[in-house]
């Protein structure tokens, strides 16, 4: 895709950065790094800031249909949501 000028968007549930999670990062960060190691140019890789949960909270969930928040594939309780 990137050879055809397309940009790859890596997505996870929460899109956590290392600054928020004691140095741990989201799965989309690992995927983005792996794509870069495979030769994809950095400017062709993007991460969805805040992950799908942020997208859902903004009311932009017109495709997925499920507005509940998840973390690592598991449904979050309202106490867990940030």
């Amino acid at each position: 895709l990137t050879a055809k000028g397309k940009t790859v968007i890596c997505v996870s549930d929460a899109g956590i950065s290392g600054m928020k999670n004691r140095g741990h990062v989201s799965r989309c960060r690992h995927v983005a790094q792996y794509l870069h190691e495979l030769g994809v140019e950095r400017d062709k890789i993007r991460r969805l800031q805040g992950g799908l949960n942020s997208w859902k909270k903004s009311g932009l969930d017109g495709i997925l249909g499920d507005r509940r928040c998840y973390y690592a594939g598991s449904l979050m309780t309202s106490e867990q949501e940030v």
Side-chain angles (χ1 to χ4, degrees), residues 9-70:
I9 301 174
C10 300
V11 179
S12 66
D13 291 332
I16 294 174
S17 70
M19 302 296 282
K20 290 184 175 181
N21 198 24
R22 298 183 318 261
H24 299 283
V25 294
S26 66
R27 290 172 286 170
C28 71
R29 168 64 176 86
H30 292 289
V31 171
Q33 180 63 36
Y34 181 65
L35 288 171
H36 180 65
E37 289 171 4
L38 289 175
V40 177
E41 297 176 33
R42 264 188 218 279
D43 64 337
K44 295 292 183 188
I45 303 170
R46 295 287 183 262
R47 293 174 53 213
L48 183 62
Q49 185 176 0
L52 288 176
N53 291 339
S54 178
W55 185 270
K56 291 175 182 184
K57 288 177 184 178
S58 297
L60 301 172
D61 190 32
I63 298 171
L64 303 173
D66 184 359
R67 299 184 73 123
R68 299 174 296 171
C69 291
Y70 288 81

